[in-house]
Amino acid sequence: MRAVVFTAPGVVELRDVPEPEPGPGEVLVHVAASGICGSELHGVRTPGFRVPPLVMGHEFAGSTDDGRRVVANPILSCGRCDLCAAGLRNVCRERRIVGVHTPGAFAERVAVPAGALVPVPDSLGWTAAGVVEPAANAVHAWELAGAPAGARVGVIGAGAIGLACLLVARSGGAARVEVADRSEERLAAASRLGADAAVSRLSGEYDVIFDAVGAAVTHEQSLALLRPGGAAVWLGLADSDAAFDAAALVRGEKRVLGSFAYRDADFAAAVDLVGRWDLSWVDTFPLEEGAEVFTALMNGRATPVKALLAP
């Protein structure tokens, strides 16, 4: 079986790997689309949670041996703890992630627990199915912010997660959504998707800011531009440095909310949403070109905004 394998720091390669063998309770998925995530680009540059050799790929859709069309929720929780019982599987203390702790979907086939599979309708194309997972992140962030219809929203970062935040905020009734990025191509995509402003840097005052970058400077910006009582939702993982004015946070009664992955309801909502989205910012490449596409993105190429690999 062919797969794109993380083999060493900064290196991914197309290789032949053994066929996956489903264990008890697992199902074989024939991969139709698998998205390259920014966290994977960062993880290959600076290995940490992901340890080579590893087949990555946690955003994927495909079909089972019996012909069911599915997307996979890659969060594998224990199912027994207090957090799982409260519906917080995404922050289960013992969680594992397909493509991080187990072999993922940058391959022709992948074995996953049957309970991780979510059916998708025949009307949903593989491109849309392939972006359900990043869309679910945006749905979760919007819910954490309080789903504030009528809000002035800022989005820092016009990668896949940032554009998904824009689209979710638009569908959720935000009064105005502005998006910031350094890439002209990504700002053009944001404008096409309905951003009221697509700029190199946010300015003004916002009710909610989604930081889809997670660098120290964007953490600082997300707090500085909030109105008193506003909420900054941090989704990006670029930097562990918070780098904000804690005194201003207190005096303005501002909130910082960490947003990790999604709950099951967010994932289900994303399946319903993506079929209505303009996905012109998503490009699909053959799996055979996956190592080249991944390396180019890792080394700073701004386009495509979202790359899917298709065996």
Side-chain angles (χ1 to χ4, degrees):
M1 178 182 75
R2 300 292 273 168
V4 174
V5 185
F6 169 29
T7 56
V11 180
V12 294
E13 301 175 81
L14 183 70
R15 287 191 170 185
D16 287 312
V17 301
E19 288 282 347
E21 297 183 5
E26 292 188 330
V27 174
L28 189 69
V29 176
H30 299 264
V31 179
S34 183
I36 296 174
C37 178
S39 67
E40 291 164 334
L41 302 174
H42 178 74
V44 169
R45 283 194 302 265
T46 56
F49 293 113
R50 295 169 178 83
V51 179
L54 174 68
V55 178
M56 299 181 296
H58 61 271
E59 309 174 0
F60 63 99
S63 58
T64 61
D65 282 339
D66 58 3
R68 289 176 293 138
R69 302 175 79 255
V70 296
V71 292
N73 182 332
I75 305 294
L76 308 179
S77 63
C78 75
R80 304 179 303 273
C81 68
D82 56 333
L83 295 170
C84 288
L88 303 175
R89 292 197 318 107
N90 59 313
V91 289
C92 171
R93 300 175 188 88
E94 298 180 32
R95 70 181 181 269
R96 297 178 302 139
I97 302 173
V98 176
V100 178
H101 304 100
T102 66
F106 290 166
E108 294 176 278
R109 287 166 289 281
V110 59
V112 295
L117 300 181
V118 177
V120 295
D122 292 341
S123 59
L124 195 69
W126 288 127
T127 298
V131 297
V132 165
E133 198 276 347
N137 280 271
V139 172
H140 184 58
W142 179 250
E143 294 297 323
L144 284 178
R152 298 162 296 174
V153 175
V155 179
I156 303 176
I161 296 293
L163 293 182
C165 285
L166 159 64
L167 288 163
V168 170
R170 271 277 166 253
S171 65
R176 184 173 178 84
V177 186
E178 300 181 6
V179 179
D181 199 281
R182 293 182 297 183
S183 163
E184 291 297 327
E185 294 92 343
R186 294 188 174 196
L187 291 177
S191 293
R192 190 168 64 249
L193 296 178
D196 294 290
V199 294
S200 60
R201 185 184 176 96
L202 295 180
S203 61
E205 190 175 71
Y206 302 86
D207 302 302
V208 176
I209 294 182
F210 296 106
D211 180 0
V213 176
V217 65
T218 60
H219 288 157
E220 181 181 24
Q221 290 170 7
S222 70
L223 266 293
L225 297 174
L226 277 181
R227 66 160 173 81
V233 184
W234 292 358
L235 300 90
L237 292 166
D239 195 333
S240 60
D241 189 357
F244 64 86
D245 185 340
L249 177 82
V250 173
R251 293 190 178 105
E253 204 171 77
K254 300 177 181 182
R255 293 176 294 146
V256 176
L257 303 168
S259 181
F260 179 77
Y262 29 75
R263 300 181 188 178
D264 290 349
D266 304 320
F267 201 89
V271 172
D272 290 334
L273 276 176
V274 292
R276 303 193 294 271
W277 284 1
D278 173 355
L279 296 176
S280 57
W281 46 281
V282 182
D283 289 304
T284 300
F285 300 87
L287 178 67
E288 297 286 325
E289 298 175 14
E292 298 165 20
V293 173
F294 190 102
T295 301
L297 291 170
M298 181 176 63
N299 290 335
R301 192 174 77 186
T303 54
V305 176
K306 187 65 180 180
L308 302 181
L309 302 182

